[in-house]
Amino acid sequence: MAQLELWMQALVEFMRAHQEWAIPIVFLVAFCECVAVLSWLVPATVFFTAFGAAAGASGLNLIPLAAAASAGAGCGFWISYWAGLVLGPRVDHHWPFTKNPELLARGHAFFEKWGVASILIGHFFGPLRAVIAIVAGIVQMPFWPFQIANWIASTVWGFALLYGAGRLAEFMTK
């Protein structure tokens, strides 16, 4: 984990030096964070907090960056939802669910309890973020309720993490 944090710090430094790459990198990190399998490999919360603070302290425009994070998150959840629709209950025959079947079971139980609200809540809790969209696809949640909840949550998530950390850093440097 320490190695991953070092890698993320290097990425933040790269983005400070090469600001033209900031928007595509932010989109890609958010996308990976919200795709079911990749979510376990990408610590986007740490990245967005660090990068948002660095961007805010250096005076970068935070709105396009937060919008890129929101768009990446929404697209990542959409892909996970689609994978759940396509694979259905067979998803538990694929890695990482073969090694951790309880993840899918907990995600399913949470979804059954909270319904559409689970999509909104799922963006903000790492273990849920990794499975809740794929569970929505598995149970064939209707497309539009999923997408509405997904894009609302993705926008709030992207702006809260990146824009919030950036504004706080701007305030602290003044």
Side-chain angles (χ1 to χ4, degrees):
M1 191 63 161
Q3 184 65 26
L4 197 51
E5 287 180 24
L6 288 174
W7 184 80
M8 282 296 177
Q9 186 59 37
L11 184 58
V12 168
E13 292 303 320
F14 173 83
M15 289 172 55
R16 284 172 111 180
H18 306 282
Q19 294 178 12
E20 67 276 8
W21 285 97
I23 289 175
I25 290 172
V26 164
F27 176 91
L28 185 62
V29 170
F31 177 81
C32 291
E33 172 68 10
C34 291
V35 170
V37 175
L38 299 176
S39 182
W40 290 291
L41 305 174
V42 179
T45 303
V46 172
F47 168 77
F48 287 136
T49 304
F51 181 67
S58 54
L60 287 177
N61 187 349
L62 297 170
I63 292 176
L65 295 169
S70 300
C75 290
F77 250 45
W78 192 344
I79 291 294
S80 294
Y81 170 77
W82 175 80
L85 285 173
V86 170
L87 294 172
R90 297 175 316 195
V91 77
D92 66 353
H93 300 303
H94 298 280
W95 181 87
F97 303 115
T98 54
K99 302 271 188 220
N100 302 301
E102 73 281 350
L103 291 172
L104 213 49
R106 284 192 308 233
H108 189 79
F110 189 83
F111 183 86
E112 290 301 320
K113 180 176 182 179
W114 295 99
V116 73
S118 66
I119 304 303
L120 297 165
I121 298 165
H123 271 280
F124 296 92
F125 298 100
L128 281 178
R129 188 170 36 259
V131 297
I132 203 68
I134 204 164
V135 167
I138 291 168
V139 301
Q140 298 182 354
M141 179 180 183
F143 180 80
W144 287 113
F146 172 80
Q147 290 300 349
I148 291 167
N150 173 32
W151 289 101
I152 289 170
S154 294
T155 301
V156 172
W157 181 79
F159 274 82
L161 282 177
L162 206 138
Y163 188 82
R167 293 297 295 179
L168 183 61
E170 281 179 7
F171 176 74
M172 299 298 283
T173 58
K174 290 183 180 182

